[in-house]
Amino acid sequence: MVVLMVCGDDGYGECLVNGFNGYCRPELPYALALSTVEGYSGYGAEESNMELRKAIDKTFYKDNTHITCDQIFVSDGSQMLLGPEIYVDSSVIMGRAGEFEEKTSKYKNIVYMNCAPENNFFPDLSKVPRTDVIFFCNPNNPTGHTASRPQLVDFARKNGSILICDSAYATYISDDSPRSLFEIPGAKEVAIEVSPFSKFAGFTGVCLGWTVVPKELSYADGFPIIQDYHRVVCTSFCGASNIAQVGGLACLSPEGFKVTLLFSFLFLNLKCALS
Ligand SMILES: Cc1ncc(COP(=O)(O)O)c(C=O)c1O
C-alpha cells in the first residue's frame, strides 16, 4: 500500500492512497494503513504518535498556554501515566494511603478537601494541611461546577506540592473560566494536567488520554520532573493503541472537533433543562 500526503496548516491536505487522489482528513492515511495486513501495527512510540500530540497541543494548549507537544504524553486513559504511586485508588491498594479509619470512613494519609454547596464547591484552603500531591477535578464530576484555580496554584507553590488537575470536562466550560490550568500564571511551575478523551469525545472504553508535564515543573533541587516522567513512561508503558490514537486524531481534526463539541452543547442543554 502506498500513502502519500501533503498537509496544509489547517490539518487538511491532498492525499494519494493507492492511486486514489482526493482531499482528505489528516488521520485518513494512518487509518487506511492500519486496516491492511502490511500496515497494521499495535503500538508506536511510548509517548505516542507525534501528529496526535501536535493536534492535542493545537486544540487545547498552543495559543493560550504555550505548552509544546513534547510536554504532552498520550496514554491509554487519563490515569495510567500517573502510575500506581500517585492515582488515589491504586495508592489505597498499595497501602500508601495508610490505614482505613472506620470512625471517619477515611484513609489516614489522605487529606480530603470538602467541596460542597456550602463552600461553593471550593475547599477552604486555610484549613487544608500540606500534602505532597493535590488532586483536583475541574470542572467537577459530578456537579459540573467550575472552580477558580489561582488560589490552588498559589497554595501548591507555597507548600511545595504538585497540583494534579483532571480537566476531563474542560470543553464543557461555557463561561470565561480558563479551559486549562496552564492559562493561570505560575501554574507550569507547580502543576500536571490530565485529560481523557472519554468525556469530550465519547471515548469511554476506547482508552485514550493525555498528561501534560510542563518543563518548568521541577523537584526542590531544580531537577526537571519531565525527565523522570519521560523515563518512567518509556520504561513501563508500551504506548497507547494505534487504532485508538487514529480515532483521537479524527476527533481533533477540524471537522471531527465540530462534532465533538456538539456533545458538550448537548450536555449544556441537558443541564439547562434540568435546572
Ligand atoms: C473526571 C474524570 N476523569 C477521568 C476519568 C477516567 O477516564 P478514562 O477511563 O478514559 O481514563 C473519568 C471517568 O469516568 C472521570 O470522570
Side-chain angles (χ1 to χ4, degrees):
M1 172 162 186
V2 182
V3 178
L4 254 175
M5 185 167 173
V6 186
C7 220
D9 277 355
D10 58 357
Y12 282 72
E14 281 181 37
C15 180
L16 185 67
V17 183
N18 276 355
F20 166 77
N21 193 2
Y23 203 62
C24 78
R25 302 192 307 268
E27 74 283 3
L28 196 56
Y30 297 105
L32 285 170
L34 283 173
S35 70
T36 64
V37 172
E38 320 83 60
Y40 177 79
S41 59
Y43 304 118
E46 290 88 350
E47 307 93 327
S48 84
N49 177 321
M50 193 40 107
E51 289 309 314
L52 180 57
R53 296 170 88 186
K54 282 187 192 160
I56 293 171
D57 191 30
K58 188 173 175 196
T59 312
F60 297 102
Y61 299 104
K62 205 169 183 174
D63 295 339
N64 306 334
T65 68
H66 305 292
I67 290 283
T68 48
C69 50
D70 55 332
Q71 297 163 73
I72 299 171
F73 298 82
V74 175
S75 61
D76 54 355
S78 64
Q79 51 198 292
M80 183 272 147
L81 287 188
L82 292 175
E85 294 79 18
I86 297 185
Y87 193 64
V88 173
D89 295 1
S90 323
S91 300
V92 168
I93 292 169
M94 294 176 80
R96 298 176 74 114
E99 292 293 313
F100 180 71
E101 297 177 332
E102 296 284 346
K103 216 166 118 194
T104 55
S105 290
K106 291 177 177 170
Y107 285 88
K108 195 164 163 270
N109 296 348
I110 295 181
V111 171
Y112 296 76
M113 298 193 297
N114 181 39
C115 297
E118 56 274 17
N119 59 10
N120 201 22
F121 301 101
F122 194 78
D124 178 354
L125 296 174
S126 67
K127 296 190 179 135
V128 178
R130 185 205 173 271
T131 53
D132 293 332
V133 177
I134 304 166
F135 285 103
F136 202 69
C137 180
N138 197 56
N140 182 271
N141 178 5
T143 63
H145 186 86
T146 307
S148 153
R149 294 168 288 181
Q151 300 97 309
L152 268 179
V153 169
D154 290 345
F155 184 71
R157 177 192 301 284
K158 200 176 83 207
N159 288 327
S161 311
I162 295 179
L163 173 60
I164 298 180
C165 190
D166 182 337
S167 61
Y169 291 98
T171 57
Y172 295 11
I173 295 175
S174 54
D175 60 18
D176 54 8
S177 304
R179 305 295 195 266
S180 163
L181 185 68
F182 300 123
E183 289 173 42
I184 297 168
K188 287 185 205 164
E189 282 117 58
V190 296
I192 287 175
E193 188 164 86
V194 297
S195 181
F197 276 71
S198 302
K199 313 302 168 190
F200 76 86
F203 263 37
T204 304
V206 177
C207 291
L208 193 69
W210 71 87
T211 301
V212 179
V213 184
K215 58 181 180 340
E216 289 86 348
L217 182 69
S218 59
Y219 298 107
D221 66 0
F223 187 81
I225 288 180
I226 190 170
Q227 288 190 27
D228 273 356
Y229 195 83
H230 187 267
R231 177 89 171 89
V232 170
V233 165
C234 295
T235 307
S236 61
F237 181 53
C238 298
S241 138
N242 284 342
I243 291 180
Q245 290 193 60
V246 168
L249 204 48
C251 291
L252 299 182
S253 69
E255 201 173 51
F257 201 57
K258 275 188 219 150
V259 180
T260 299
L261 286 184
L262 202 63
F263 275 110
S264 311
F265 289 125
L266 289 175
F267 176 82
L268 284 175
N269 285 343
L270 184 68
K271 223 170 98 174
C272 292
L274 293 175
S275 62

